[in-house]
Amino acid sequence: MKAATAIGIGIAAIAIIMAGIMEGVTPTALLNINALILVLGGTAGAVFGGVGMKRFMAIPKLYMKAILSQQPNLAERVTTLVAFAERARKDGLLALEEEIEAIEDPFTRKGMQLVVDGTDPDLLREILEAEIDAMAARHKLGSSVFEKAGGIAPTIGVLGTVVSLVHVLGNLSAPETLGPAISGAFIATLYGVGSANVVYLPVCYSLQMMSAKEVDERSLILEGVLAIQAGDNPRIVQQKLLSYVAPAERLEVEGGGKADLKAVAEPAAEAA
C-alpha cells in the first residue's frame, strides 16, 4: 500500500492517545511545549552532529519517500524483459538499439546499452553489480538517519525528565505542587520514547524494506539482461526471472500477453 507507513504511524499514535484517555489522562495533560522543544530540538541537533548537513537536509525528502513511494512491480519487469528477449531472438541484439532510448529506467537502459555495445558478460555483470551495491550503500545512509534518531530520542527524553526533576526537587517546600510537576516531568520521556518507536524507527524500517525491494528489482533486471545477451530462449528467461517474483504475482506474467517494449515503468524511488 502506498501510504502504509503513514497509516501505521497514525494508528499507533491514536492507540497511545486513546489508551491514555481510557486511563483517565486528559489530552491537554499530554501537551507540554517545553518538553516537545527539548526532545525535537535535542534529537535534531544530535542527529545533525552525527550525519552532517547534506544528509540532515535530505530528511524531508526521505519522509516523503517512505510515505508516498510505491514498491517496484517485479512482474511487470519480467514481462518487459521477456519481450526484449523475444525481440532479440527474432531480430538479433542490434535490433534492440532502437528501443533503448524509450526505456525510462536508467538501470535497464544502461544494461541494454551495454548488451548492444557487445560488452563482455563478466564485465557487464561487474558494472551492473557495482551499480546495485552503490545504490544499496546510498539507501543505507538514508535510513541510518532515522535509525540514529530512533536511538537518540529516548535518551534526550530521559534527559528532559531529569532536568525537570531537578527543578521539582529544588522546590520541595510546596508539596501540593509535586504531583503535577512530577507528572509533567515524565512527558519528555513519553515524547522521546514515543517519537522513536512511532515515527523514527518505522520510517527507518520502511526505507530499508524499499531498498531491499529495489535491490531485488535490479538483481532481476541484471539476470534478465545477461540472459538476453546469452541468447536464452524467452521461456527460459521468463522462468529464470520468475524466481524473484512472489508466487501470488506470477500469474500476472504467466497469464498475460506480450509486453510493450517501450512500457518500462519508472524505477522505485531511491532513498538517496
Side-chain angles (χ1 to χ4, degrees):
M1 184 182 294
K2 189 173 183 179
T5 301
I7 293 173
I9 290 174
I11 291 173
I14 292 172
I16 292 171
I17 294 172
M18 287 184 62
I21 293 174
M22 292 173 68
E23 287 289 337
V25 179
T26 61
T28 55
L30 298 177
L31 182 62
N32 187 316
I33 301 301
N34 294 336
L36 187 64
I37 293 174
L38 187 150
V39 172
L40 294 183
T43 301
V47 170
F48 179 86
V51 305
M53 172 70 78
K54 183 176 181 180
R55 286 165 61 193
F56 184 82
M57 295 303 293
I59 288 177
K61 181 180 178 181
L62 292 171
Y63 269 120
M64 297 303 294
K65 288 183 184 299
I67 293 172
L68 298 178
S69 294
Q70 296 190 34
Q71 295 183 3
N73 189 332
L74 299 184
E76 185 174 300
R77 288 285 187 263
V78 173
T79 303
T80 300
L81 288 167
V82 170
F84 278 121
E86 291 174 347
R87 176 68 186 277
R89 190 173 179 85
K90 179 181 178 181
D91 301 323
L93 290 176
L94 292 179
L96 297 175
E97 188 166 15
E98 62 190 63
E99 310 290 348
I100 290 176
E101 291 302 320
I103 301 174
E104 296 180 8
D105 176 15
F107 186 76
T108 305
R109 184 168 61 248
K110 182 173 185 176
M112 295 307 301
Q113 185 65 62
L114 289 171
V115 168
V116 171
D117 291 343
T119 307
D120 179 78
D122 291 336
L123 179 58
L124 190 154
R125 178 182 288 276
E126 183 179 340
I127 292 172
L128 295 186
E129 284 182 344
E131 287 270 355
I132 295 173
D133 291 342
M135 180 199 69
R138 291 195 302 273
H139 289 182
K140 185 175 181 179
L141 287 175
S143 64
S144 69
V145 173
F146 295 94
E147 188 174 24
K148 287 180 171 59
I152 291 171
T155 304
I156 297 294
V158 171
L159 288 176
T161 295
V162 171
V163 170
S164 297
L165 288 177
V166 168
H167 173 72
V168 171
L169 295 175
N171 292 274
L172 294 178
S173 57
E176 68 279 359
T177 65
L178 289 181
I182 293 174
S183 174
F186 282 98
I187 295 297
T189 298
L190 174 65
Y191 286 167
V193 175
S195 62
N197 291 280
V198 175
V199 180
Y200 301 136
L201 292 180
V203 170
C204 172
Y205 299 148
S206 177
L207 291 174
Q208 289 175 346
M209 184 181 69
M210 288 170 55
S211 178
K213 290 287 187 181
E214 191 164 350
V215 168
D216 286 344
E217 177 194 30
R218 292 200 169 189
S219 298
L220 181 156
I221 293 170
L222 168 60
E223 294 301 328
V225 168
L226 289 171
I228 292 170
Q229 184 185 48
D232 289 348
N233 184 291
R235 184 167 294 277
I236 299 299
V237 174
Q238 182 187 77
Q239 293 305 312
K240 182 185 296 186
L241 299 185
L242 282 177
S243 62
Y244 289 89
V245 182
E249 300 174 4
R250 293 179 185 179
L251 292 177
E252 181 181 336
V253 178
E254 295 172 337
K258 294 183 179 180
D260 180 355
L261 292 179
K262 298 182 179 181
V264 181
E266 293 183 0
E270 287 190 8

